[in-house]
Every structure is written in structure tokens, then in C-alpha cells.
Amino acid sequence: MVPFVDLKVQYLSIKEEIDTAVLGVLESTQFVLGKEVAAFEELFTAYTQTSHVMGVNTGTSALHLSLLAAGIGRGDEVITTPFTFIATVSAIDYTGATPVFVDIDPASFTIDPAKIEAAITPRTKAILPVHLYGQPADMDPIMEIAKRHGLVVIEDAAQAHGAEYKGRRVGSIGDLGCFSFYPGKNLGAYGEGGAVTTNNPEFARTVKMLRDWGAERKYYHDLKGFNYRLEGIQGAVLKVKMKYIEGWTEARRAVAARYDEALAGTSIRTPTALPDRRHVYHVYAIRDAQRDTLQTFLHDHGVSTGIHYPIPVHLQRAFAELGHKEGDFPHSEAAAREVLSIPMYPELPEDQQDLVIAALKAWPLQ
Ligand SMILES: *Cc1c(COP(=O)(O)O)cnc(C)c1O
């Protein structure tokens, strides 16, 4: 079976460095935040071309604290897309604000800027584009709309470490950027992790306080904060991985290029990589009207797949209170019915890529 991802092979390739780094944290007893986290934050600041990085315990916390730092709360509205992982929308909900959905552009699976203005009301405070699958959303028009209406832009870059829009790294374009280091993400911790990026020193200061109980000085709590700190072991792991992330990203792009080329001219719809963007292929999602049958077919041909995501958030039961129904966001709904993620990770061997390609070339069933 060709695995969908293999985290073990990457660990083995850097095992000595990782083991040494983890043992170093045990020796130092800096289990929460500490110098390894600070060293990682500095590397990630350079990597994202930003001026401040705050490590937090999850990508969801990064979103939550970014929204809070931007002053968002009850009575406010935040615009995002329903075709995302639920965490994007849950983070908005945690603040008491209301998520307001705008459909995706079907080519990129990211928010359609042409539909944003119709969703803006006097309560709108922010736009939260998601760089889904590792491809940046169309940031220029989003920033222009935000500026004109006085809105904050928070990038959900949980799937897009190192992705670029017109030569600029994601996380540096909006007012705040949010990253996840969940193990399967392009830059993965060995446990949970996340980070907020920003060029705004005030936002940085607030996020830094909120992640650590709202205090700058221990036991002097100026804000109602959270326990959202990044662990020392995760900081040490991530610091080691920063040496390799560019190589791994290029390896993902090479796998994608090979899939693109081999599948051109078949009935499979390959992902659209838009010009002026560096897609980092967290997910390589193909489209097919017979998606569920194709998934079974691939399974029977020894290829593991995933679906990101089968139900758009506006139709999830958890968010029934928003009152949406089928037909509200047709491009998101069609994507949820048709997308299928095929094996993608930096170390995916060429012979396994060939098995995936051969199986896809044997489709469709007669
Ligand atoms: C993974 C992910 C998150 C949440 O990150 P966690 O670290 O799992 O909390 C948020 N948004 C998107 C788009 C994600 O893929």
C-alpha cells in the first residue's frame, strides 16, 4: 500500500539531531517556552520574513490569539471561507464573534475576493483567508478591500509554511499570520505546536501576554489570558527541522510537478497552481465527479488517499446555529464532493509515485 504520509521516514533521516535536541531539553528542564523555543522563534521570524514570532501550543490557539489581539469579540463578524478545516471557524467562535462565509474561487480553493465586499457589514472586523492545501489566497485584492473598509487581515497559514505570493512569504502579508506545527503539517512538531507571526509590535506584545496568562511579569496579570505556551521539546524539534524545511518543500513541489506532468491529458483534474505563487503542496488534491468510487478504486490498487474536507463548515452540524443550507456556497460544496488527496510527502519514493500515477491512469472504470 502506498501510504498517504510517512512521518517515520523523516524522523529516521534526522534521528541523531532530534534525539540530541530532545535530550538537551530534558537536561535543561526548560520544558515550557525557554531558550529552544526562543531560538526556533528567531529562525521562524527570518523564514516568514516577519519581525515577530510567538510560539503557541496549537495552530488553533494561534488563530484564537490573533483574533483576540486584533480586538475581535462578541458582536463582531469575521469573514472566512467554509471550505477549510473546522479550526479556522472554531477559533472565530471562541472569541464570541460570528463567522461570515464567502465562497471559494474553484480554481485555487481559496476565498474569492470578488465576493468579499457583499459580505461586509458594519459589524465586520476582519478577513481570515486560508492558504488551503499550501497555495496562498489572492492577497492583493484582500488587502485592498481590508484597507478600504478598515479591517484586519489574519492569514490562516496552517498548511502553507514557506508559501509565497508575489515573492512574499505567507504570514508576512496580512496583519497577523497563523501557523500549525501539528505533526502532519509541512513543518511538524513531535506533538502539538503553532505560531503567530506579525510585523506589528503591539499585536506581538498582546499575543505574547495572552499565550502566558496575560502576564508580562510572572503573577502580574494585565489581561485575561490562556495557557497556550509552546513546549520546550517542540521548540527543540522545530529548531532542528528549520535546517531542512526548504529542502522538504522543494521535494514536495517536485512530487507535485511529477504528478502534474504524468496526469496531464488524463481524465484526472490536477490542482491549479496560479501564477505569482509558490504552492507548497501540503495537500495534492485532484478532482473527480466520481470521487467516492475513485477513492475505492485507488484503495483497491494499493493507493491510500484522504479527503480534505468532505463537509464544508457551513453544513457541519456543529455550526447549524449559523442557519446555512445546501446551495449557500456552491463552489465549496462541489469541492467537498469532488476533491481527493493523493499521497504527498517530501520523502515519497519515485517508485511509489509511479504506482499512484499508474493507478490514476487506469481510471476511469469502464
Ligand atoms: C491544522 C489546521 C489548523 C489548526 O491547527 P492545529 O495545530 O491542529 O490546532 C487551522 N487551520 C487549518 C487550515 C489547518 O489545516
Side-chain angles (χ1 to χ4, degrees):
M1 202 74 188
V2 181
F4 183 65
V5 287
D6 182 345
L7 300 181
K8 184 74 176 276
V9 60
Q10 185 171 96
Y11 167 57
L12 292 178
S13 74
I14 53 172
K15 182 177 185 325
E16 251 176 67
E17 279 180 282
I18 291 285
D19 292 0
T20 304
V22 169
L23 290 173
V25 175
L26 302 186
E27 289 292 339
S28 77
T29 72
Q30 292 191 0
F31 298 118
V32 178
L33 296 176
K35 77 176 193 338
E36 291 296 296
V37 168
F40 163 68
E41 288 173 337
E42 198 171 317
L43 293 172
F44 205 65
T45 302
Y47 186 73
T48 52
Q49 303 171 349
T50 58
S51 40
H52 306 275
V53 169
M54 284 66 62
V56 293
N57 62 336
T58 67
T60 307
S61 300
L63 289 162
H64 186 193
L65 295 191
S66 294
L67 289 157
L68 292 177
I72 286 153
R74 202 161 301 282
D76 297 332
E77 292 175 358
V78 177
I79 291 174
T80 193
T81 109
F83 194 57
T84 182
F85 180 57
I86 195 152
T88 313
V89 182
S90 292
I92 297 169
D93 184 65
Y94 295 168
T95 69
T98 303
V100 172
F101 296 122
V102 165
D103 210 354
I104 53 167
D105 150 39
S108 66
F109 300 110
T110 58
I111 194 166
D112 184 349
K115 299 200 170 107
I116 291 176
E117 287 207 90
I120 294 176
T121 76
R123 292 167 178 257
T124 309
K125 288 283 161 56
I127 308 173
L128 208 176
V130 182
H131 305 312
L132 200 76
Y133 301 156
Q135 172 147 258
D138 194 3
M139 293 304 292
D140 275 354
I142 294 170
M143 295 309 294
E144 189 273 319
I145 292 163
K147 195 169 174 192
R148 205 145 32 77
H149 294 269
L151 309 177
V152 171
V153 175
I154 300 171
E155 298 174 66
D156 184 340
Q159 306 187 353
H161 317 72
E164 290 172 12
Y165 178 83
K166 301 189 179 173
R168 298 167 69 192
R169 286 271 159 108
V170 301
S172 73
I173 306 166
D175 298 284
L176 295 130
C178 303
F179 291 83
S180 167
F181 307 124
Y182 182 76
K185 297 287 162 81
N186 286 24
L187 178 64
Y190 289 153
E192 305 272 3
V196 175
T197 59
T198 186
N199 291 318
N200 179 321
E202 266 313 301
F203 289 160
R205 180 164 171 248
T206 308
V207 169
K208 214 170 274 182
M209 290 172 74
L210 289 176
R211 77 173 168 182
D212 194 11
W213 292 118
E216 271 179 317
R217 210 173 131 201
K218 205 166 179 158
Y219 306 128
Y220 291 76
H221 305 277
D222 295 341
L223 300 172
K224 287 180 184 166
F226 301 83
N227 178 356
Y228 280 177
R229 299 167 300 222
L230 184 62
E231 294 192 349
I233 287 178
Q234 306 312 333
V237 166
L238 292 164
K239 186 180 113 187
V240 168
K241 287 192 166 196
M242 285 306 291
K243 277 195 257 179
Y244 303 97
I245 181 67
E246 272 307 284
W248 289 333
T249 300
E250 282 308 313
R252 284 178 183 275
R253 288 170 50 78
V255 174
R258 213 148 164 275
Y259 281 157
D260 286 346
E261 199 186 323
L263 299 173
T266 70
S267 68
I268 299 295
R269 286 161 70 192
T270 55
T272 308
L274 293 168
D276 293 328
R277 291 176 222 196
R278 182 193 195 207
H279 192 325
V280 297
Y281 294 99
H282 174 57
V283 162
Y284 187 98
I286 58 174
R287 282 186 86 143
D288 195 288
Q290 307 298 317
R291 190 267 313 279
D292 293 339
T293 318
L294 173 58
Q295 184 172 39
T296 307
F297 174 87
L298 288 174
H299 176 85
D300 294 344
H301 283 71
V303 176
S304 311
T305 56
I307 297 172
H308 305 96
Y309 298 90
I311 302 178
V313 181
H314 71 285
L315 299 178
Q316 295 282 1
R317 275 194 209 133
F319 283 103
E321 68 200 30
L322 297 175
H324 288 295
K325 58 182 187 314
E326 209 153 332
D328 283 357
F329 305 102
H331 292 305
S332 296
E333 292 164 24
R337 279 193 303 271
E338 295 180 359
V339 291
L340 186 64
S341 314
I342 62 174
M344 167 58 78
Y345 58 95
E347 303 82 5
L348 183 64
E350 282 203 3
D351 61 328
Q352 307 247 309
Q353 296 171 36
D354 291 338
L355 290 172
V356 175
I357 290 163
L360 284 168
K361 283 188 162 171
W363 174 262
L365 294 170
Q366 295 311 309

Short mmCIF file of all heavy atoms in Angstrom, two decimals, residues 66-67 70 72 76-80 92 98 100 116 120 123-129 146 149-154 175:
data_model
loop_
_atom_site.label_atom_id
_atom_site.label_comp_id
_atom_site.label_asym_id
_atom_site.label_seq_id
_atom_site.Cartn_x
_atom_site.Cartn_y
_atom_site.Cartn_z
N SER A 66 -4.66 35.56 17.71
CA SER A 66 -4.56 36.61 16.69
C SER A 66 -5.86 37.42 16.64
O SER A 66 -5.84 38.65 16.57
CB SER A 66 -4.28 36.01 15.31
OG SER A 66 -3.01 35.42 15.30
N LEU A 67 -6.97 36.70 16.68
CA LEU A 67 -8.28 37.37 16.66
C LEU A 67 -8.44 38.25 17.90
O LEU A 67 -8.87 39.41 17.80
CB LEU A 67 -9.41 36.33 16.59
CG LEU A 67 -9.53 35.60 15.24
CD1 LEU A 67 -10.24 34.25 15.41
CD2 LEU A 67 -10.28 36.47 14.22
N ALA A 70 -6.36 41.36 17.80
CA ALA A 70 -6.94 42.34 16.89
C ALA A 70 -8.20 42.96 17.46
O ALA A 70 -8.88 43.76 16.80
CB ALA A 70 -7.22 41.68 15.54
N ILE A 72 -11.03 41.43 18.44
CA ILE A 72 -12.30 40.85 17.98
C ILE A 72 -12.99 40.09 19.11
O ILE A 72 -12.36 39.37 19.88
CB ILE A 72 -12.02 39.94 16.77
CG1 ILE A 72 -11.72 40.86 15.57
CG2 ILE A 72 -13.18 39.01 16.47
CD1 ILE A 72 -10.85 40.27 14.55
N ASP A 76 -18.96 41.05 16.88
CA ASP A 76 -18.19 41.29 15.66
C ASP A 76 -18.41 40.17 14.64
O ASP A 76 -18.84 39.08 15.01
CB ASP A 76 -16.69 41.37 15.97
CG ASP A 76 -16.36 42.54 16.88
OD1 ASP A 76 -17.10 43.54 16.86
OD2 ASP A 76 -15.36 42.44 17.62
N GLU A 77 -18.09 40.48 13.41
CA GLU A 77 -18.14 39.46 12.35
C GLU A 77 -16.77 39.31 11.70
O GLU A 77 -16.06 40.30 11.52
CB GLU A 77 -19.17 39.86 11.27
CG GLU A 77 -20.60 39.83 11.79
CD GLU A 77 -21.63 40.32 10.78
OE1 GLU A 77 -21.24 40.75 9.67
OE2 GLU A 77 -22.83 40.30 11.12
N VAL A 78 -16.44 38.07 11.38
CA VAL A 78 -15.16 37.77 10.72
C VAL A 78 -15.46 36.96 9.46
O VAL A 78 -16.16 35.94 9.51
CB VAL A 78 -14.22 36.97 11.65
CG1 VAL A 78 -12.93 36.61 10.92
CG2 VAL A 78 -13.92 37.77 12.91
N ILE A 79 -14.93 37.45 8.35
CA ILE A 79 -15.19 36.80 7.05
C ILE A 79 -14.13 35.73 6.77
O ILE A 79 -12.93 36.00 6.88
CB ILE A 79 -15.19 37.87 5.93
CG1 ILE A 79 -16.42 38.77 6.10
CG2 ILE A 79 -15.15 37.22 4.55
CD1 ILE A 79 -16.46 39.95 5.15
N THR A 80 -14.59 34.54 6.42
CA THR A 80 -13.68 33.46 6.03
C THR A 80 -14.40 32.55 5.04
O THR A 80 -15.51 32.85 4.61
CB THR A 80 -13.16 32.68 7.25
OG1 THR A 80 -12.06 31.85 6.85
CG2 THR A 80 -14.23 31.82 7.90
N ILE A 92 -12.80 31.59 15.47
CA ILE A 92 -13.65 32.79 15.42
C ILE A 92 -14.73 32.67 16.49
O ILE A 92 -14.99 33.59 17.27
CB ILE A 92 -14.28 32.95 14.02
CG1 ILE A 92 -13.20 33.17 12.96
CG2 ILE A 92 -15.31 34.10 14.01
CD1 ILE A 92 -13.70 33.08 11.51
N THR A 98 -18.98 36.24 15.15
CA THR A 98 -19.75 35.40 14.24
C THR A 98 -18.97 35.17 12.95
O THR A 98 -18.55 36.14 12.31
CB THR A 98 -21.09 36.07 13.89
OG1 THR A 98 -21.78 36.32 15.11
CG2 THR A 98 -21.95 35.20 12.99
N VAL A 100 -18.63 34.69 9.14
CA VAL A 100 -19.43 35.01 7.96
C VAL A 100 -18.70 34.41 6.76
O VAL A 100 -17.53 34.73 6.53
CB VAL A 100 -19.60 36.53 7.80
CG1 VAL A 100 -20.27 36.87 6.46
CG2 VAL A 100 -20.41 37.09 8.96
N ILE A 116 -16.13 39.17 -1.50
CA ILE A 116 -15.95 39.60 -0.11
C ILE A 116 -16.80 40.84 0.22
O ILE A 116 -17.47 40.88 1.26
CB ILE A 116 -14.46 39.85 0.21
CG1 ILE A 116 -13.69 38.52 0.22
CG2 ILE A 116 -14.30 40.57 1.55
CD1 ILE A 116 -12.19 38.66 0.43
N ILE A 120 -19.53 42.22 3.67
CA ILE A 120 -19.12 43.19 4.70
C ILE A 120 -20.35 43.93 5.25
O ILE A 120 -21.21 44.37 4.49
CB ILE A 120 -18.08 44.17 4.13
CG1 ILE A 120 -16.77 43.41 3.80
CG2 ILE A 120 -17.79 45.31 5.11
CD1 ILE A 120 -15.71 44.27 3.13
N ARG A 123 -20.63 45.43 11.21
CA ARG A 123 -20.03 44.65 12.29
C ARG A 123 -18.73 43.95 11.89
O ARG A 123 -18.03 43.39 12.72
CB ARG A 123 -21.00 43.54 12.76
CG ARG A 123 -22.22 44.06 13.46
CD ARG A 123 -23.26 42.94 13.58
NE ARG A 123 -24.44 43.41 14.28
CZ ARG A 123 -24.71 43.12 15.56
NH1 ARG A 123 -23.91 42.34 16.25
NH2 ARG A 123 -25.78 43.59 16.15
N THR A 124 -18.44 43.91 10.59
CA THR A 124 -17.25 43.19 10.12
C THR A 124 -15.98 43.82 10.68
O THR A 124 -15.81 45.04 10.60
CB THR A 124 -17.19 43.20 8.57
OG1 THR A 124 -18.45 42.76 8.07
CG2 THR A 124 -16.08 42.29 8.07
N LYS A 125 -15.12 42.96 11.25
CA LYS A 125 -13.86 43.47 11.82
C LYS A 125 -12.63 42.91 11.13
O LYS A 125 -11.56 43.51 11.20
CB LYS A 125 -13.79 43.11 13.32
CG LYS A 125 -14.74 43.90 14.20
CD LYS A 125 -14.21 45.30 14.46
CE LYS A 125 -15.28 46.26 14.91
NZ LYS A 125 -16.02 45.83 16.10
N ALA A 126 -12.79 41.74 10.53
CA ALA A 126 -11.59 41.08 9.98
C ALA A 126 -11.93 40.17 8.82
O ALA A 126 -13.06 39.71 8.67
CB ALA A 126 -10.89 40.27 11.07
N ILE A 127 -10.90 39.92 7.99
CA ILE A 127 -10.97 38.90 6.94
C ILE A 127 -9.92 37.85 7.29
O ILE A 127 -8.79 38.19 7.64
CB ILE A 127 -10.68 39.49 5.53
CG1 ILE A 127 -11.57 40.71 5.26
CG2 ILE A 127 -10.89 38.43 4.45
CD1 ILE A 127 -11.23 41.45 3.96
N LEU A 128 -10.34 36.57 7.20
CA LEU A 128 -9.45 35.47 7.58
C LEU A 128 -9.29 34.52 6.40
O LEU A 128 -9.96 33.49 6.33
CB LEU A 128 -10.06 34.76 8.81
CG LEU A 128 -9.14 34.04 9.80
CD1 LEU A 128 -9.91 33.49 10.98
CD2 LEU A 128 -8.28 32.99 9.17
N PRO A 129 -8.41 34.87 5.44
CA PRO A 129 -8.20 33.97 4.30
C PRO A 129 -7.41 32.74 4.74
O PRO A 129 -6.57 32.82 5.64
CB PRO A 129 -7.39 34.82 3.31
CG PRO A 129 -6.71 35.85 4.15
CD PRO A 129 -7.59 36.08 5.35
N ALA A 146 -9.60 45.24 2.60
CA ALA A 146 -9.45 45.42 4.05
C ALA A 146 -9.07 46.86 4.37
O ALA A 146 -9.61 47.48 5.29
CB ALA A 146 -8.40 44.45 4.59
N HIS A 149 -11.99 49.26 3.97
CA HIS A 149 -13.05 49.14 4.98
C HIS A 149 -12.52 49.13 6.41
O HIS A 149 -13.28 48.89 7.35
CB HIS A 149 -13.86 47.85 4.73
CG HIS A 149 -14.64 47.87 3.44
ND1 HIS A 149 -15.95 48.32 3.36
CD2 HIS A 149 -14.29 47.53 2.18
CE1 HIS A 149 -16.37 48.23 2.11
NE2 HIS A 149 -15.37 47.76 1.37
N GLY A 150 -11.22 49.35 6.59
CA GLY A 150 -10.64 49.39 7.93
C GLY A 150 -10.68 48.04 8.65
O GLY A 150 -10.95 47.98 9.85
N LEU A 151 -10.44 46.96 7.91
CA LEU A 151 -10.50 45.61 8.51
C LEU A 151 -9.09 45.06 8.74
O LEU A 151 -8.15 45.41 8.04
CB LEU A 151 -11.26 44.66 7.58
CG LEU A 151 -12.63 45.13 7.10
CD1 LEU A 151 -13.22 44.10 6.12
CD2 LEU A 151 -13.58 45.36 8.27
N VAL A 152 -9.00 44.19 9.72
CA VAL A 152 -7.75 43.47 9.98
C VAL A 152 -7.73 42.22 9.10
O VAL A 152 -8.78 41.62 8.85
CB VAL A 152 -7.70 43.08 11.48
CG1 VAL A 152 -6.54 42.15 11.78
CG2 VAL A 152 -7.62 44.33 12.34
N VAL A 153 -6.55 41.84 8.63
CA VAL A 153 -6.42 40.60 7.86
C VAL A 153 -5.56 39.62 8.65
O VAL A 153 -4.44 39.94 9.05
CB VAL A 153 -5.82 40.83 6.46
CG1 VAL A 153 -5.58 39.50 5.75
CG2 VAL A 153 -6.74 41.72 5.63
N ILE A 154 -6.12 38.43 8.91
CA ILE A 154 -5.41 37.37 9.63
C ILE A 154 -5.28 36.19 8.68
O ILE A 154 -6.29 35.66 8.21
CB ILE A 154 -6.18 36.97 10.91
CG1 ILE A 154 -6.30 38.19 11.83
CG2 ILE A 154 -5.49 35.81 11.61
CD1 ILE A 154 -7.22 37.99 13.03
N ASP A 175 -2.09 41.32 8.63
CA ASP A 175 -1.66 41.93 9.90
C ASP A 175 -1.09 40.89 10.85
O ASP A 175 -0.20 41.19 11.64
CB ASP A 175 -2.86 42.63 10.54
CG ASP A 175 -3.37 43.75 9.65
OD1 ASP A 175 -2.73 44.80 9.61
OD2 ASP A 175 -4.39 43.54 8.95
#
